[in-house]
Amino acid sequence: MMHAYDETYVEKARTALGRMLDFAVYDMKFELPAYWNLFLTSGVARRFGEGDFTLTVGKSGIEIAYTVLDESGLCVRRITPCHTRNRSEEYWTGWALAWYQWEKALPFQAITCLVPIEEIQQLYSPYHEMDIRQFADRMDEKCREAQKNTRLKQMRMRAGYSQQKLADMAGIPLRTLQQYEQKQKNINKVRAEYVIRLSQVLGCGTDELIEYW
């Protein structure tokens, strides 16, 4: 499996993201969803998720927390961290999510669009006492439940094509296309030729049709 970045940096990244959320909530007094939205929209989430060395290894969680605010155009007075409980629910949320994002090699935004950050926090009990892979399995389940439409169907609807029209344009049997959209057949395991044809008609990359959950 292709991961988001080199495994050498995962533990440091997990610690940094956990501390960032802990500091943002307990010291800077942000609500978790509000701060997470800043993290996503600032561009810091994208860079972190791609393994930007200056963030995942080069900054502490507190430094990243301020980077998010700076990139968001918010002027906030620097304060001395007071909260030292590094195993808060917020810390665990960042710590666990950093591993899941690395393991899936997906943008943070794609993950928390399906499972909001506050829902991930609610998994703290009992998953903070379990192996991280059990948390990942539960996240996979929640993502599948939330993603009602396959990525193929989303792309088709965005393009404004009926199933019949897309099948005709791509030269693929209509029933086969329907089976992909209904997950009766796994599009990740189909002939590469079919995926290439679909991506060409839909004007997207082949990777945008792959299902992650």
Side-chain angles (χ1 to χ4, degrees), residues 1 11-12 14 23 41 47 57 71 73 86 88 96 99 104 121 130 144 154 156 169 174 179 212:
M1 177 184 290
E11 289 308 313
K12 177 65 172 65
R14 296 175 74 185
F23 180 71
T41 58
R47 290 165 50 204
V57 177
E71 295 295 324
N86 284 345
S88 66
W99 189 90
K104 289 294 180 181
Q121 182 185 14
M130 299 182 183
R144 281 194 294 269
Q154 292 172 7
R156 176 179 63 77
M169 293 176 70
L174 173 60
Q179 289 173 324
Y212 293 100

Side-chain angles (χ1 to χ4, degrees), residues 5 26 29 41 60 91 118 120 124 127 142 156 160 162-163 172 175 184 189 212:
Y5 47 87
Y26 290 97
K29 308 303 181 185
T41 58
S60 68
Y91 179 94
E118 57 268 36
I120 297 175
Y124 173 81
Y127 288 95
K142 291 180 75 67
R156 176 179 63 77
S162 66
Q163 289 181 331
I172 294 174
R175 181 55 185 152
Q184 293 175 1
K189 297 180 180 179
Y212 293 100

Side-chain angles (χ1 to χ4, degrees), residues 131-160:
D131 185 272
I132 190 64
R133 289 170 181 79
Q134 292 177 281
F135 163 76
D137 289 343
R138 181 63 182 126
M139 282 292 294
D140 285 348
E141 291 174 3
K142 291 180 75 67
C143 287
R144 281 194 294 269
E145 292 166 1
Q147 187 170 296
K148 297 178 181 178
N149 294 326
T150 62
R151 303 180 88 192
L152 172 60
K153 184 174 182 179
Q154 292 172 7
M155 290 293 181
R156 176 179 63 77
M157 295 176 68
R158 186 182 304 171

